[in-house]
Amino acid sequence: MVNEKHARRRGSAAVAVLIAVALAAVGIYSYWDDWRATPHTTSDFLMNTFVSQTVYGKNAQRAADEVVAALSGFEDDFSMYRENSPIAQINRSAGVAPVAVPEQVYQLIATAYDYCAQTDGLFDVTTGPLSVLWNVTGDTPHVPGQQELSQALELVDYRDILLDPEARTVMLRRPGQMIDLGAIAKGYACRVAGEIYRRYQVGGAVLSVGGNIYTYGKKPGGGAYDIGLSTPEKDRQHTLGTLHADGMVVATSGGYERYFEEQGIRYHHIFDPRTGYPSQQDLLSVTVVAEDGALADFLSTYFFVAGSQAAIDCLDRSEFSLILVDSEKNVYISPALKDQFALTSSDYTLAAP
Ligand code: ADP
Ligand code: MG
């Protein structure tokens, strides 16, 4: 009797072990199955910039394709240069009539309005007339005359964006005013991509939208993603340093990529709404690390205009971290990034704030 009982117990223990081994095998197998599939990589020119992504694990291809589709749709919705985009319609109807816009567009404009207000208008998404006048990123960049410059500058004022949340309409108060979401659209696109990766439950992904880099989930093998940051120079051939920033958007603004030269002077595409000129300050580049892409993109543009002192004062903030390069080639980093960022270029010096 006793032996029989023991034998039965042994038997069920053996079955339990077998089940456990089988479950573990299935678990390990499906884990491998996730990573086994080769990563899916895409590379496109979207939103007027280079967009590339590598997606790992389950559903990688489907998720990657959906991100590409979403970002192509973005251009139709958010570009002021697309004739039929809601933004172009708002700009055409400036001073005339409110325009009903899709939910996503309304939300981003409302968010942008709050960002402008938080910076007292140093960040201002109605700099559209300045972008058009200077045409820095277009075919005919030129330094404008004083009169046309003051005419354009006079139109820049985010407080003239009239939002009606009930009707979901947007109107600019005065004719000639223009919304230009160029400073936040790319970061916002990273947020939307993150929602797609999550929905498809991919293992991990790295997305680059014109210099805004987003890392999602885990890398195969579990290591951290290494992001190489470039030195703020024209040719961008050197690596400034490497950054580990899992699950974050890393947005960089600088005057070294989109600019033109006239009579030996360089004019870049980020404007100081107080002067109408490309911002004149002492930072070569501003990199912001934050969970939310729109926030990171907004802040990188804002600090680039605001200058080093304003940025250094914010190195300790909890909602975001900063890597700043000033014109003396000093690099300032937030204490929170101390163990995540390694400076690799010997031309630059890590500065104590
Ligand atoms: P990039 O687009 O090169 O990544 P940014 O995110 O800094 O760089 O955005 C720059 C764009 O922001 C400009 O091309 C213009 O469309 C817009 N812009 C320029 N000056 C301002 C400003 N002071 N506030 C908000 N947006 C601006
Ligand atoms: Mg930006």
Coordinates of all heavy atoms in Angstrom, one line a residue, residues 146-199:
Q146 N 14.7 94.4 -44.5 CA 14.2 94.8 -43.1 C 12.7 94.9 -43.1 O 12.0 94.5 -42.2 CB 14.8 96.1 -42.7 CG 14.8 96.3 -41.1 CD 15.2 95.0 -40.4 OE1 16.3 94.4 -40.6 NE2 14.3 94.5 -39.5
Q147 N 12.1 95.5 -44.2 CA 10.7 95.7 -44.2 C 9.9 94.4 -44.3 O 8.9 94.2 -43.5 CB 10.3 96.6 -45.4 CG 9.0 97.3 -45.1 CD 8.4 98.0 -46.4 OE1 9.2 98.3 -47.3 NE2 7.1 98.2 -46.4
E148 N 10.3 93.5 -45.2 CA 9.6 92.3 -45.3 C 9.8 91.4 -44.0 O 8.9 90.7 -43.6 CB 9.9 91.4 -46.6 CG 11.4 91.4 -46.9 CD 11.7 90.5 -48.1 OE1 10.8 90.0 -48.7 OE2 12.9 90.4 -48.4
L149 N 10.9 91.6 -43.4 CA 11.2 90.9 -42.2 C 10.2 91.3 -41.1 O 9.6 90.5 -40.4 CB 12.6 91.0 -41.7 CG 13.0 90.1 -40.5 CD1 13.0 88.7 -40.9 CD2 14.3 90.6 -40.0
S150 N 10.1 92.7 -40.9 CA 9.2 93.1 -39.9 C 7.7 92.8 -40.2 O 7.0 92.5 -39.3 CB 9.4 94.6 -39.5 OG 9.7 95.3 -40.6
Q151 N 7.4 92.8 -41.5 CA 6.0 92.4 -41.8 C 5.7 90.9 -41.4 O 4.7 90.6 -40.8 CB 5.8 92.5 -43.3 CG 5.3 93.9 -43.7 CD 5.4 94.0 -45.2 OE1 5.6 93.1 -46.0 NE2 5.2 95.3 -45.7
A152 N 6.7 90.1 -41.6 CA 6.5 88.6 -41.3 C 6.5 88.5 -39.8 O 5.7 87.8 -39.2 CB 7.6 87.8 -41.9
L153 N 7.5 89.2 -39.1 CA 7.6 89.1 -37.7 C 6.3 89.5 -36.9 O 5.9 88.9 -35.9 CB 8.8 89.9 -37.2 CG 9.2 89.8 -35.8 CD1 9.5 88.3 -35.4 CD2 10.5 90.6 -35.5
E154 N 5.7 90.5 -37.5 CA 4.5 91.1 -36.9 C 3.4 90.0 -36.9 O 2.5 90.1 -36.0 CB 4.1 92.3 -37.8 CG 3.5 93.4 -37.0 CD 2.0 93.2 -37.2 OE1 1.5 93.1 -38.3 OE2 1.3 93.3 -36.1
L155 N 3.5 89.0 -37.7 CA 2.4 88.0 -37.8 C 2.7 86.8 -36.8 O 1.8 86.0 -36.7 CB 2.4 87.4 -39.2 CG 1.9 88.4 -40.3 CD1 2.2 87.8 -41.7 CD2 0.4 88.7 -40.2
V156 N 3.8 86.8 -36.2 CA 4.2 85.7 -35.3 C 3.6 86.0 -33.9 O 4.1 86.9 -33.3 CB 5.7 85.5 -35.3 CG1 6.1 84.4 -34.3 CG2 6.3 85.2 -36.7
D157 N 2.7 85.2 -33.5 CA 2.1 85.3 -32.2 C 1.2 84.1 -31.9 O 0.0 84.1 -32.4 CB 1.4 86.6 -32.0 CG 1.1 86.8 -30.5 OD1 1.1 85.8 -29.7 OD2 0.8 88.0 -30.1
Y158 N 1.7 83.1 -31.2 CA 0.8 81.9 -30.9 C -0.5 82.3 -30.3 O -1.4 81.5 -30.3 CB 1.6 80.9 -30.1 CG 1.7 81.4 -28.6 CD1 0.8 80.9 -27.7 CD2 2.7 82.2 -28.2 CE1 0.9 81.3 -26.4 CE2 2.8 82.6 -26.9 CZ 1.9 82.2 -26.0 OH 1.9 82.6 -24.7
R159 N -0.6 83.4 -29.6 CA -1.8 83.8 -28.9 C -3.0 84.0 -29.9 O -4.1 84.1 -29.5 CB -1.6 85.0 -28.0 CG -0.8 84.6 -26.7 CD -0.3 85.8 -26.0 NE 0.5 86.7 -26.9 CZ 1.1 87.8 -26.5 NH1 1.0 88.2 -25.2 NH2 1.8 88.5 -27.3
D160 N -2.6 84.1 -31.2 CA -3.6 84.3 -32.2 C -4.1 83.0 -32.7 O -4.9 83.0 -33.7 CB -3.0 85.2 -33.4 CG -2.8 86.6 -32.9 OD1 -3.5 87.1 -32.0 OD2 -1.9 87.3 -33.5
I161 N -3.7 81.9 -32.1 CA -4.3 80.6 -32.5 C -5.6 80.4 -31.7 O -5.5 80.4 -30.5 CB -3.4 79.4 -32.2 CG1 -2.0 79.6 -32.9 CG2 -4.0 78.1 -32.6 CD1 -1.0 78.5 -32.6
L162 N -6.7 80.5 -32.4 CA -8.0 80.4 -31.7 C -8.5 79.0 -31.7 O -8.8 78.4 -32.8 CB -9.0 81.4 -32.3 CG -8.5 82.8 -32.5 CD1 -9.5 83.7 -33.2 CD2 -8.1 83.4 -31.1
L163 N -8.6 78.3 -30.6 CA -9.0 76.9 -30.5 C -10.4 76.8 -30.0 O -10.7 77.4 -29.0 CB -8.1 76.2 -29.6 CG -6.6 76.1 -30.0 CD1 -5.7 75.7 -28.9 CD2 -6.5 75.0 -31.2
D164 N -11.2 76.0 -30.6 CA -12.6 75.7 -30.1 C -12.7 74.2 -29.9 O -12.9 73.4 -30.9 CB -13.6 76.2 -31.1 CG -15.0 75.9 -30.6 OD1 -15.2 75.1 -29.7 OD2 -16.0 76.6 -31.1
P165 N -12.5 73.7 -28.7 CA -12.5 72.3 -28.4 C -13.8 71.6 -28.7 O -13.8 70.4 -29.1 CB -12.1 72.1 -26.9 CG -12.3 73.5 -26.3 CD -12.3 74.5 -27.4
E166 N -14.9 72.3 -28.5 CA -16.2 71.7 -28.8 C -16.4 71.4 -30.3 O -16.7 70.3 -30.7 CB -17.4 72.6 -28.3 CG -18.1 71.9 -27.2 CD -17.8 72.6 -25.8 OE1 -18.3 73.6 -25.5 OE2 -16.9 72.0 -25.1
A167 N -16.2 72.5 -31.1 CA -16.4 72.3 -32.5 C -15.2 71.7 -33.2 O -15.2 71.3 -34.3 CB -16.6 73.7 -33.1
R168 N -14.1 71.5 -32.4 CA -12.8 71.0 -32.9 C -12.3 71.8 -34.1 O -12.0 71.3 -35.1 CB -12.9 69.6 -33.2 CG -11.7 68.8 -32.7 CD -11.8 67.3 -32.7 NE -12.1 66.9 -34.1 CZ -12.6 65.8 -34.4 NH1 -13.1 65.0 -33.5 NH2 -12.8 65.4 -35.7
T169 N -12.4 73.2 -34.0 CA -11.9 74.0 -35.0 C -10.7 74.8 -34.6 O -10.5 75.0 -33.4 CB -13.0 75.0 -35.5 OG1 -13.4 75.8 -34.3 CG2 -14.2 74.3 -36.0
V170 N -9.9 75.3 -35.6 CA -8.8 76.1 -35.3 C -8.8 77.3 -36.3 O -9.2 77.1 -37.5 CB -7.5 75.3 -35.6 CG1 -6.2 76.2 -35.3 CG2 -7.4 74.0 -34.8
M171 N -8.5 78.5 -35.8 CA -8.5 79.6 -36.6 C -7.3 80.5 -36.2 O -7.1 80.7 -35.0 CB -9.8 80.4 -36.6 CG -9.8 81.7 -37.4 SD -11.4 82.5 -37.4 CE -10.9 84.0 -38.1
L172 N -6.7 81.1 -37.2 CA -5.7 82.1 -36.9 C -6.3 83.5 -37.0 O -7.1 83.7 -37.9 CB -4.5 82.0 -37.9 CG -3.6 80.8 -37.6 CD1 -2.8 80.4 -38.9 CD2 -2.7 81.1 -36.5
R173 N -6.0 84.3 -36.0 CA -6.8 85.6 -35.9 C -6.6 86.5 -37.2 O -7.6 87.1 -37.7 CB -6.3 86.3 -34.7 CG -7.3 87.4 -34.2 CD -6.7 88.2 -33.0 NE -6.2 87.4 -31.9 CZ -7.0 87.1 -30.9 NH1 -8.2 87.4 -30.8 NH2 -6.5 86.4 -29.9
R174 N -5.4 86.6 -37.7 CA -5.1 87.6 -38.7 C -4.7 87.0 -40.1 O -3.9 86.0 -40.1 CB -4.0 88.6 -38.2 CG -4.5 89.4 -37.0 CD -3.4 90.2 -36.5 NE -2.4 89.5 -35.7 CZ -1.1 89.7 -35.7 NH1 -0.6 90.7 -36.5 NH2 -0.3 89.0 -35.0
P175 N -5.1 87.6 -41.2 CA -4.7 87.1 -42.5 C -3.2 87.1 -42.6 O -2.5 88.0 -42.1 CB -5.3 88.1 -43.5 CG -6.3 88.9 -42.7 CD -5.9 88.8 -41.3
G176 N -2.6 86.1 -43.2 CA -1.2 86.0 -43.4 C -0.5 85.2 -42.3 O 0.7 84.7 -42.5
Q177 N -1.2 84.9 -41.2 CA -0.5 84.1 -40.1 C -0.5 82.6 -40.6 O -1.3 82.2 -41.4 CB -1.3 84.2 -38.8 CG -1.2 85.6 -38.2 CD -1.8 85.7 -36.8 OE1 -2.9 85.4 -36.6 NE2 -0.9 86.1 -35.9
M178 N 0.5 81.9 -40.0 CA 0.7 80.5 -40.5 C 1.2 79.7 -39.3 O 2.2 80.1 -38.6 CB 1.8 80.4 -41.5 CG 1.4 80.9 -42.9 SD 2.8 80.8 -43.9 CE 2.4 82.0 -45.1
I179 N 0.6 78.5 -39.2 CA 1.1 77.5 -38.2 C 2.1 76.6 -38.9 O 1.9 76.2 -40.1 CB -0.1 76.7 -37.7 CG1 -1.0 77.5 -36.8 CG2 0.5 75.5 -36.9 CD1 -2.2 76.8 -36.3
D180 N 3.2 76.4 -38.2 CA 4.3 75.5 -38.8 C 4.7 74.5 -37.6 O 5.3 75.0 -36.7 CB 5.4 76.4 -39.2 CG 6.7 75.5 -39.6 OD1 6.6 74.3 -39.5 OD2 7.7 76.2 -39.9
L181 N 4.3 73.3 -37.8 CA 4.5 72.3 -36.7 C 5.9 71.6 -36.8 O 6.1 70.6 -36.2 CB 3.4 71.3 -36.6 CG 2.0 71.9 -36.2 CD1 0.9 70.8 -36.2 CD2 2.1 72.6 -34.8
G182 N 6.7 72.1 -37.7 CA 8.0 71.5 -38.0 C 8.8 71.1 -36.8 O 9.6 70.2 -36.8
A183 N 8.7 71.9 -35.7 CA 9.5 71.7 -34.5 C 9.0 70.6 -33.6 O 9.8 70.1 -32.7 CB 9.6 73.0 -33.7
I184 N 7.8 70.1 -33.8 CA 7.4 69.0 -32.9 C 6.8 67.7 -33.7 O 6.6 66.7 -33.1 CB 6.3 69.4 -31.9 CG1 5.1 70.1 -32.6 CG2 6.9 70.3 -30.8 CD1 4.0 70.3 -31.6
A185 N 6.5 67.9 -35.0 CA 5.9 66.8 -35.7 C 6.7 65.5 -35.7 O 6.2 64.4 -35.6 CB 5.6 67.2 -37.1
K186 N 8.0 65.6 -35.8 CA 8.8 64.4 -35.9 C 8.9 63.7 -34.6 O 8.8 62.4 -34.5 CB 10.3 64.8 -36.4 CG 10.2 65.3 -37.8 CD 11.6 65.3 -38.4 CE 12.4 66.5 -38.1 NZ 12.1 67.7 -38.9
G187 N 9.0 64.4 -33.5 CA 8.9 63.8 -32.2 C 7.6 63.2 -31.9 O 7.5 62.0 -31.4
Y188 N 6.5 63.9 -32.3 CA 5.2 63.3 -32.1 C 5.0 62.0 -32.9 O 4.4 61.1 -32.4 CB 4.2 64.4 -32.6 CG 2.8 63.9 -32.5 CD1 2.1 63.8 -31.2 CD2 2.0 63.6 -33.6 CE1 0.8 63.4 -31.1 CE2 0.7 63.2 -33.5 CZ 0.1 63.1 -32.3 OH -1.2 62.7 -32.2
A189 N 5.6 62.0 -34.1 CA 5.6 60.8 -34.9 C 6.1 59.6 -34.1 O 5.6 58.4 -34.3 CB 6.3 61.0 -36.2
C190 N 7.2 59.8 -33.3 CA 7.7 58.7 -32.5 C 6.7 58.2 -31.5 O 6.6 57.0 -31.2 CB 9.0 59.2 -31.8 SG 10.3 59.6 -32.9
R191 N 5.9 59.1 -31.0 CA 4.9 58.7 -30.0 C 3.9 57.8 -30.7 O 3.5 56.7 -30.2 CB 4.2 59.9 -29.5 CG 3.1 59.5 -28.5 CD 2.1 60.6 -28.2 NE 2.6 61.8 -27.6 CZ 1.9 62.9 -27.4 NH1 0.6 63.0 -27.7 NH2 2.4 64.0 -26.8
V192 N 3.5 58.2 -31.9 CA 2.5 57.4 -32.7 C 3.1 56.0 -33.0 O 2.4 55.0 -32.9 CB 2.1 58.2 -33.9 CG1 1.2 57.3 -34.8 CG2 1.3 59.4 -33.5
A193 N 4.4 56.0 -33.4 CA 5.0 54.7 -33.7 C 5.0 53.8 -32.5 O 4.8 52.6 -32.6 CB 6.5 55.0 -34.2
G194 N 5.3 54.4 -31.4 CA 5.3 53.6 -30.1 C 4.0 52.9 -29.9 O 3.9 51.7 -29.5
E195 N 2.9 53.6 -30.2 CA 1.6 53.0 -30.0 C 1.4 51.8 -30.9 O 0.8 50.8 -30.6 CB 0.5 54.1 -30.2 CG 0.3 55.0 -29.1 CD -0.3 56.4 -29.5 OE1 -0.9 56.4 -30.6 OE2 -0.2 57.3 -28.6
I196 N 1.9 51.9 -32.1 CA 1.8 50.8 -33.1 C 2.7 49.7 -32.7 O 2.2 48.5 -32.7 CB 2.2 51.3 -34.5 CG1 1.2 52.4 -35.0 CG2 2.3 50.2 -35.5 CD1 1.6 53.1 -36.3
Y197 N 3.9 49.9 -32.2 CA 4.7 48.8 -31.7 C 4.1 48.1 -30.6 O 4.1 46.8 -30.5 CB 6.1 49.3 -31.3 CG 7.0 49.9 -32.3 CD1 7.8 51.0 -32.0 CD2 7.0 49.4 -33.6 CE1 8.6 51.6 -33.0 CE2 7.8 50.0 -34.6 CZ 8.6 51.1 -34.3 OH 9.4 51.6 -35.3
R198 N 3.4 48.8 -29.7 CA 2.8 48.3 -28.6 C 1.6 47.4 -29.0 O 1.4 46.3 -28.6 CB 2.3 49.4 -27.6 CG 2.3 49.0 -26.2 CD 2.2 50.3 -25.3 NE 3.4 51.1 -25.4 CZ 3.4 52.4 -25.7 NH1 2.3 53.0 -25.9 NH2 4.5 53.1 -25.8
R199 N 0.8 47.9 -29.9 CA -0.4 47.2 -30.4 C 0.0 45.9 -31.0 O -0.6 44.9 -30.9 CB -1.1 48.1 -31.4 CG -2.4 47.5 -31.9 CD -3.5 48.6 -32.2 NE -2.9 49.8 -32.8 CZ -2.7 49.8 -34.1 NH1 -2.9 48.8 -34.9 NH2 -2.2 51.0 -34.7

